mmCIF file of all heavy atoms in Angstrom:
data_model
loop_
_atom_site.group_PDB
_atom_site.id
_atom_site.type_symbol
_atom_site.label_atom_id
_atom_site.label_comp_id
_atom_site.label_asym_id
_atom_site.label_seq_id
_atom_site.Cartn_x
_atom_site.Cartn_y
_atom_site.Cartn_z
ATOM 1 N N LEU Q 147 -30.843 5.340 -27.418
ATOM 2 C CA LEU Q 147 -30.757 6.243 -26.268
ATOM 3 C C LEU Q 147 -32.139 6.767 -25.901
ATOM 4 O O LEU Q 147 -32.488 6.835 -24.725
ATOM 5 C CB LEU Q 147 -29.828 7.431 -26.594
ATOM 6 C CG LEU Q 147 -29.759 8.530 -25.518
ATOM 7 C CD1 LEU Q 147 -29.256 8.020 -24.188
ATOM 8 C CD2 LEU Q 147 -28.890 9.705 -26.034
ATOM 9 N N GLY Q 148 -32.926 7.148 -26.896
ATOM 10 C CA GLY Q 148 -34.271 7.648 -26.618
ATOM 11 C C GLY Q 148 -35.130 6.619 -25.899
ATOM 12 O O GLY Q 148 -35.894 6.953 -24.973
ATOM 13 N N LEU Q 149 -35.007 5.365 -26.320
ATOM 14 C CA LEU Q 149 -35.786 4.289 -25.674
ATOM 15 C C LEU Q 149 -35.296 4.055 -24.232
ATOM 16 O O LEU Q 149 -36.093 3.864 -23.321
ATOM 17 C CB LEU Q 149 -35.670 3.007 -26.482
ATOM 18 C CG LEU Q 149 -36.350 2.994 -27.852
ATOM 19 C CD1 LEU Q 149 -35.875 1.804 -28.655
ATOM 20 C CD2 LEU Q 149 -37.878 2.957 -27.678
ATOM 21 N N ASP Q 150 -33.979 4.073 -24.057
ATOM 22 C CA ASP Q 150 -33.398 3.891 -22.733
ATOM 23 C C ASP Q 150 -33.876 4.972 -21.777
ATOM 24 O O ASP Q 150 -34.309 4.716 -20.648
ATOM 25 C CB ASP Q 150 -31.870 3.909 -22.840
ATOM 26 C CG ASP Q 150 -31.190 3.358 -21.610
ATOM 27 O OD1 ASP Q 150 -31.839 2.659 -20.813
ATOM 28 O OD2 ASP Q 150 -29.971 3.599 -21.457
ATOM 29 N N VAL Q 151 -33.831 6.221 -22.229
ATOM 30 C CA VAL Q 151 -34.316 7.361 -21.426
ATOM 31 C C VAL Q 151 -35.790 7.189 -21.100
ATOM 32 O O VAL Q 151 -36.217 7.367 -19.963
ATOM 33 C CB VAL Q 151 -34.050 8.681 -22.145
ATOM 34 C CG1 VAL Q 151 -34.784 9.841 -21.449
ATOM 35 C CG2 VAL Q 151 -32.569 8.987 -22.241
ATOM 36 N N GLU Q 152 -36.586 6.836 -22.099
ATOM 37 C CA GLU Q 152 -38.018 6.662 -21.908
ATOM 38 C C GLU Q 152 -38.323 5.605 -20.863
ATOM 39 O O GLU Q 152 -39.179 5.774 -19.988
ATOM 40 C CB GLU Q 152 -38.726 6.328 -23.211
ATOM 41 C CG GLU Q 152 -40.249 6.212 -23.056
ATOM 42 C CD GLU Q 152 -40.956 5.766 -24.311
ATOM 43 O OE1 GLU Q 152 -40.283 5.598 -25.363
ATOM 44 O OE2 GLU Q 152 -42.178 5.586 -24.261
ATOM 45 N N MET Q 153 -37.587 4.517 -20.909
ATOM 46 C CA MET Q 153 -37.840 3.423 -19.963
ATOM 47 C C MET Q 153 -37.577 3.878 -18.527
ATOM 48 O O MET Q 153 -38.402 3.667 -17.635
ATOM 49 C CB MET Q 153 -36.960 2.235 -20.295
ATOM 50 C CG MET Q 153 -37.253 1.002 -19.407
ATOM 51 S SD MET Q 153 -36.350 -0.459 -20.001
ATOM 52 C CE MET Q 153 -37.302 -1.771 -19.256
ATOM 53 N N HIS Q 154 -36.430 4.511 -18.312
ATOM 54 C CA HIS Q 154 -36.104 4.946 -16.958
ATOM 55 C C HIS Q 154 -37.072 6.037 -16.479
ATOM 56 O O HIS Q 154 -37.422 6.072 -15.307
ATOM 57 C CB HIS Q 154 -34.635 5.431 -16.929
ATOM 58 C CG HIS Q 154 -33.670 4.329 -17.054
ATOM 59 N ND1 HIS Q 154 -33.202 3.596 -15.963
ATOM 60 C CD2 HIS Q 154 -33.047 3.784 -18.130
ATOM 61 C CE1 HIS Q 154 -32.349 2.686 -16.349
ATOM 62 N NE2 HIS Q 154 -32.249 2.782 -17.689
ATOM 63 N N GLU Q 155 -37.484 6.928 -17.375
ATOM 64 C CA GLU Q 155 -38.439 7.940 -17.001
ATOM 65 C C GLU Q 155 -39.763 7.348 -16.596
ATOM 66 O O GLU Q 155 -40.385 7.748 -15.592
ATOM 67 C CB GLU Q 155 -38.638 8.935 -18.146
ATOM 68 C CG GLU Q 155 -37.471 9.872 -18.382
ATOM 69 C CD GLU Q 155 -37.709 10.869 -19.499
ATOM 70 O OE1 GLU Q 155 -38.599 10.613 -20.356
ATOM 71 O OE2 GLU Q 155 -37.031 11.914 -19.521
ATOM 72 N N LEU Q 156 -40.241 6.357 -17.343
ATOM 73 C CA LEU Q 156 -41.527 5.710 -17.017
ATOM 74 C C LEU Q 156 -41.460 5.051 -15.653
ATOM 75 O O LEU Q 156 -42.419 5.111 -14.854
ATOM 76 C CB LEU Q 156 -41.885 4.666 -18.093
ATOM 77 C CG LEU Q 156 -42.360 5.205 -19.414
ATOM 78 C CD1 LEU Q 156 -42.521 4.092 -20.430
ATOM 79 C CD2 LEU Q 156 -43.710 5.927 -19.235
ATOM 80 N N LEU Q 157 -40.363 4.407 -15.348
ATOM 81 C CA LEU Q 157 -40.227 3.737 -14.057
ATOM 82 C C LEU Q 157 -40.228 4.750 -12.902
ATOM 83 O O LEU Q 157 -40.867 4.510 -11.877
ATOM 84 C CB LEU Q 157 -38.928 2.922 -14.035
ATOM 85 C CG LEU Q 157 -38.894 1.705 -14.967
ATOM 86 C CD1 LEU Q 157 -37.472 1.144 -15.080
ATOM 87 C CD2 LEU Q 157 -39.845 0.615 -14.490
ATOM 88 N N LEU Q 158 -39.524 5.861 -13.112
ATOM 89 C CA LEU Q 158 -39.508 6.882 -12.059
ATOM 90 C C LEU Q 158 -40.891 7.534 -11.868
ATOM 91 O O LEU Q 158 -41.346 7.717 -10.750
ATOM 92 C CB LEU Q 158 -38.462 7.953 -12.418
ATOM 93 C CG LEU Q 158 -36.999 7.530 -12.287
ATOM 94 C CD1 LEU Q 158 -36.079 8.496 -13.054
ATOM 95 C CD2 LEU Q 158 -36.568 7.414 -10.848
ATOM 96 N N ARG Q 159 -41.520 7.876 -13.004
ATOM 97 C CA ARG Q 159 -42.818 8.578 -12.935
ATOM 98 C C ARG Q 159 -43.912 7.711 -12.370
ATOM 99 O O ARG Q 159 -44.877 8.240 -11.765
ATOM 100 C CB ARG Q 159 -43.222 9.075 -14.310
ATOM 101 C CG ARG Q 159 -42.351 10.231 -14.844
ATOM 102 C CD ARG Q 159 -42.942 10.833 -16.080
ATOM 103 N NE ARG Q 159 -42.041 11.799 -16.696
ATOM 104 C CZ ARG Q 159 -41.877 13.029 -16.261
ATOM 105 N NH1 ARG Q 159 -42.519 13.461 -15.203
ATOM 106 N NH2 ARG Q 159 -41.017 13.841 -16.874
ATOM 107 N N HIS Q 160 -43.815 6.392 -12.557
ATOM 108 C CA HIS Q 160 -44.893 5.505 -12.112
ATOM 109 C C HIS Q 160 -44.465 4.655 -10.940
ATOM 110 O O HIS Q 160 -45.020 3.565 -10.708
ATOM 111 C CB HIS Q 160 -45.367 4.667 -13.285
ATOM 112 C CG HIS Q 160 -45.959 5.483 -14.394
ATOM 113 N ND1 HIS Q 160 -47.263 5.930 -14.375
ATOM 114 C CD2 HIS Q 160 -45.422 5.946 -15.544
ATOM 115 C CE1 HIS Q 160 -47.497 6.649 -15.450
ATOM 116 N NE2 HIS Q 160 -46.413 6.692 -16.177
ATOM 117 N N SER Q 161 -43.514 5.145 -10.167
ATOM 118 C CA SER Q 161 -43.019 4.437 -8.999
ATOM 119 C C SER Q 161 -43.937 4.555 -7.804
ATOM 120 O O SER Q 161 -43.786 3.834 -6.811
ATOM 121 C CB SER Q 161 -41.616 4.967 -8.630
ATOM 122 O OG SER Q 161 -41.701 6.342 -8.210
ATOM 123 N N GLY Q 162 -44.869 5.535 -7.871
ATOM 124 C CA GLY Q 162 -45.702 5.799 -6.719
ATOM 125 C C GLY Q 162 -45.060 6.769 -5.741
ATOM 126 O O GLY Q 162 -45.621 7.073 -4.698
ATOM 127 N N ASN Q 163 -43.877 7.287 -6.098
ATOM 128 C CA ASN Q 163 -43.156 8.247 -5.258
ATOM 129 C C ASN Q 163 -42.921 9.503 -6.077
ATOM 130 O O ASN Q 163 -42.133 9.489 -7.042
ATOM 131 C CB ASN Q 163 -41.845 7.624 -4.788
ATOM 132 C CG ASN Q 163 -41.085 8.510 -3.803
ATOM 133 O OD1 ASN Q 163 -41.001 9.709 -3.945
ATOM 134 N ND2 ASN Q 163 -40.540 7.896 -2.755
ATOM 135 N N GLU Q 164 -43.562 10.606 -5.713
ATOM 136 C CA GLU Q 164 -43.457 11.834 -6.498
ATOM 137 C C GLU Q 164 -42.042 12.399 -6.477
ATOM 138 O O GLU Q 164 -41.665 13.102 -7.422
ATOM 139 C CB GLU Q 164 -44.467 12.873 -6.016
ATOM 140 C CG GLU Q 164 -44.115 13.576 -4.703
ATOM 141 C CD GLU Q 164 -44.389 12.719 -3.466
ATOM 142 O OE1 GLU Q 164 -44.891 11.588 -3.608
ATOM 143 O OE2 GLU Q 164 -44.135 13.207 -2.330
ATOM 144 N N LEU Q 165 -41.265 12.112 -5.439
ATOM 145 C CA LEU Q 165 -39.888 12.593 -5.404
ATOM 146 C C LEU Q 165 -39.014 11.882 -6.447
ATOM 147 O O LEU Q 165 -38.168 12.502 -7.075
ATOM 148 C CB LEU Q 165 -39.306 12.419 -3.998
ATOM 149 C CG LEU Q 165 -40.006 13.183 -2.892
ATOM 150 C CD1 LEU Q 165 -39.327 12.906 -1.553
ATOM 151 C CD2 LEU Q 165 -40.037 14.669 -3.163
ATOM 152 N N PHE Q 166 -39.255 10.598 -6.614
ATOM 153 C CA PHE Q 166 -38.536 9.878 -7.655
ATOM 154 C C PHE Q 166 -38.924 10.444 -9.037
ATOM 155 O O PHE Q 166 -38.091 10.587 -9.920
ATOM 156 C CB PHE Q 166 -38.858 8.364 -7.611
ATOM 157 C CG PHE Q 166 -38.310 7.667 -6.408
ATOM 158 C CD1 PHE Q 166 -38.696 6.359 -6.137
ATOM 159 C CD2 PHE Q 166 -37.431 8.283 -5.534
ATOM 160 C CE1 PHE Q 166 -38.201 5.689 -5.012
ATOM 161 C CE2 PHE Q 166 -36.933 7.617 -4.397
ATOM 162 C CZ PHE Q 166 -37.321 6.315 -4.161
ATOM 163 N N GLY Q 167 -40.221 10.707 -9.183
ATOM 164 C CA GLY Q 167 -40.686 11.238 -10.473
ATOM 165 C C GLY Q 167 -40.038 12.557 -10.820
ATOM 166 O O GLY Q 167 -39.887 12.872 -12.019
ATOM 167 N N ALA Q 168 -39.677 13.332 -9.812
ATOM 168 C CA ALA Q 168 -39.049 14.625 -10.059
ATOM 169 C C ALA Q 168 -37.626 14.494 -10.572
ATOM 170 O O ALA Q 168 -37.009 15.504 -10.980
ATOM 171 C CB ALA Q 168 -39.065 15.458 -8.770
ATOM 172 N N LEU Q 169 -37.076 13.294 -10.551
ATOM 173 C CA LEU Q 169 -35.694 13.082 -10.972
ATOM 174 C C LEU Q 169 -35.582 12.642 -12.433
ATOM 175 O O LEU Q 169 -34.475 12.320 -12.898
ATOM 176 C CB LEU Q 169 -35.022 12.037 -10.073
ATOM 177 C CG LEU Q 169 -34.850 12.434 -8.603
ATOM 178 C CD1 LEU Q 169 -34.295 11.242 -7.817
ATOM 179 C CD2 LEU Q 169 -33.897 13.618 -8.479
ATOM 180 N N THR Q 170 -36.677 12.658 -13.180
ATOM 181 C CA THR Q 170 -36.610 12.172 -14.559
ATOM 182 C C THR Q 170 -35.644 12.972 -15.410
ATOM 183 O O THR Q 170 -34.894 12.391 -16.198
ATOM 184 C CB THR Q 170 -38.007 12.168 -15.201
ATOM 185 O OG1 THR Q 170 -38.581 13.493 -15.075
ATOM 186 C CG2 THR Q 170 -38.944 11.178 -14.525
ATOM 187 N N ASP Q 171 -35.653 14.300 -15.274
ATOM 188 C CA ASP Q 171 -34.735 15.098 -16.080
ATOM 189 C C ASP Q 171 -33.284 14.851 -15.716
ATOM 190 O O ASP Q 171 -32.387 14.897 -16.575
ATOM 191 C CB ASP Q 171 -35.057 16.592 -15.894
ATOM 192 C CG ASP Q 171 -36.357 17.013 -16.581
ATOM 193 O OD1 ASP Q 171 -36.857 16.235 -17.429
ATOM 194 O OD2 ASP Q 171 -36.877 18.093 -16.277
ATOM 195 N N VAL Q 172 -33.053 14.572 -14.440
ATOM 196 C CA VAL Q 172 -31.691 14.264 -13.991
ATOM 197 C C VAL Q 172 -31.168 13.003 -14.642
ATOM 198 O O VAL Q 172 -30.073 12.943 -15.195
ATOM 199 C CB VAL Q 172 -31.641 14.147 -12.451
ATOM 200 C CG1 VAL Q 172 -30.243 13.685 -12.003
ATOM 201 C CG2 VAL Q 172 -32.001 15.473 -11.798
ATOM 202 N N VAL Q 173 -31.990 11.935 -14.595
ATOM 203 C CA VAL Q 173 -31.558 10.662 -15.141
ATOM 204 C C VAL Q 173 -31.391 10.771 -16.643
ATOM 205 O O VAL Q 173 -30.469 10.228 -17.235
ATOM 206 C CB VAL Q 173 -32.562 9.546 -14.786
ATOM 207 C CG1 VAL Q 173 -32.248 8.253 -15.519
ATOM 208 C CG2 VAL Q 173 -32.528 9.298 -13.265
ATOM 209 N N ALA Q 174 -32.284 11.509 -17.312
ATOM 210 C CA ALA Q 174 -32.160 11.714 -18.743
ATOM 211 C C ALA Q 174 -30.850 12.402 -19.070
ATOM 212 O O ALA Q 174 -30.163 12.075 -20.040
ATOM 213 C CB ALA Q 174 -33.343 12.531 -19.297
ATOM 214 N N ALA Q 175 -30.490 13.405 -18.246
ATOM 215 C CA ALA Q 175 -29.234 14.137 -18.473
ATOM 216 C C ALA Q 175 -28.037 13.237 -18.289
ATOM 217 O O ALA Q 175 -27.045 13.311 -19.022
ATOM 218 C CB ALA Q 175 -29.152 15.331 -17.519
ATOM 219 N N VAL Q 176 -28.110 12.332 -17.306
ATOM 220 C CA VAL Q 176 -26.999 11.392 -17.076
ATOM 221 C C VAL Q 176 -26.838 10.443 -18.249
ATOM 222 O O VAL Q 176 -25.723 10.214 -18.764
ATOM 223 C CB VAL Q 176 -27.223 10.590 -15.784
ATOM 224 C CG1 VAL Q 176 -26.111 9.565 -15.602
ATOM 225 C CG2 VAL Q 176 -27.280 11.519 -14.586
ATOM 226 N N LEU Q 177 -27.941 9.824 -18.690
ATOM 227 C CA LEU Q 177 -27.868 8.881 -19.800
ATOM 228 C C LEU Q 177 -27.389 9.572 -21.081
ATOM 229 O O LEU Q 177 -26.558 9.036 -21.793
ATOM 230 C CB LEU Q 177 -29.232 8.238 -20.049
ATOM 231 C CG LEU Q 177 -29.756 7.365 -18.901
ATOM 232 C CD1 LEU Q 177 -31.236 6.964 -19.142
ATOM 233 C CD2 LEU Q 177 -28.896 6.118 -18.756
ATOM 234 N N SER Q 178 -27.918 10.756 -21.356
ATOM 235 C CA SER Q 178 -27.519 11.495 -22.540
ATOM 236 C C SER Q 178 -26.046 11.920 -22.456
ATOM 237 O O SER Q 178 -25.306 11.860 -23.431
ATOM 238 C CB SER Q 178 -28.419 12.687 -22.764
ATOM 239 O OG SER Q 178 -29.764 12.299 -22.939
ATOM 240 N N GLY Q 179 -25.656 12.370 -21.274
ATOM 241 C CA GLY Q 179 -24.300 12.853 -21.055
ATOM 242 C C GLY Q 179 -23.262 11.746 -21.248
ATOM 243 O O GLY Q 179 -22.228 11.948 -21.866
ATOM 244 N N ARG Q 180 -23.569 10.560 -20.724
ATOM 245 C CA ARG Q 180 -22.637 9.451 -20.853
ATOM 246 C C ARG Q 180 -22.445 9.086 -22.329
ATOM 247 O O ARG Q 180 -21.342 8.812 -22.778
ATOM 248 C CB ARG Q 180 -23.167 8.248 -20.067
ATOM 249 C CG ARG Q 180 -22.182 7.083 -20.005
ATOM 250 C CD ARG Q 180 -22.781 5.880 -19.303
ATOM 251 N NE ARG Q 180 -21.848 4.774 -19.351
ATOM 252 C CZ ARG Q 180 -22.223 3.493 -19.243
ATOM 253 N NH1 ARG Q 180 -23.484 3.187 -19.101
ATOM 254 N NH2 ARG Q 180 -21.335 2.513 -19.304
ATOM 255 N N THR Q 181 -23.550 9.156 -23.102
ATOM 256 C CA THR Q 181 -23.457 8.857 -24.523
ATOM 257 C C THR Q 181 -22.674 9.947 -25.265
ATOM 258 O O THR Q 181 -21.795 9.658 -26.054
ATOM 259 C CB THR Q 181 -24.856 8.720 -25.114
ATOM 260 O OG1 THR Q 181 -25.545 7.645 -24.459
ATOM 261 C CG2 THR Q 181 -24.807 8.457 -26.617
ATOM 262 N N ALA Q 182 -23.010 11.219 -24.979
ATOM 263 C CA ALA Q 182 -22.384 12.327 -25.666
ATOM 264 C C ALA Q 182 -20.882 12.383 -25.420
ATOM 265 O O ALA Q 182 -20.114 12.807 -26.284
ATOM 266 C CB ALA Q 182 -23.039 13.624 -25.242
#
Side-chain angles (χ1 to χ4, degrees):
L147 174 61
L149 291 167
D150 196 16
V151 169
E152 182 184 357
M153 185 172 201
H154 289 273
E155 287 182 339
L156 286 173
L157 293 168
L158 289 163
R159 290 190 188 282
H160 296 280
S161 64
N163 186 317
E164 75 283 359
L165 298 180
F166 292 170
L169 294 174
T170 54
D171 288 344
V172 174
V173 172
V176 177
L177 294 172
S178 299
R180 188 184 176 204
T181 299

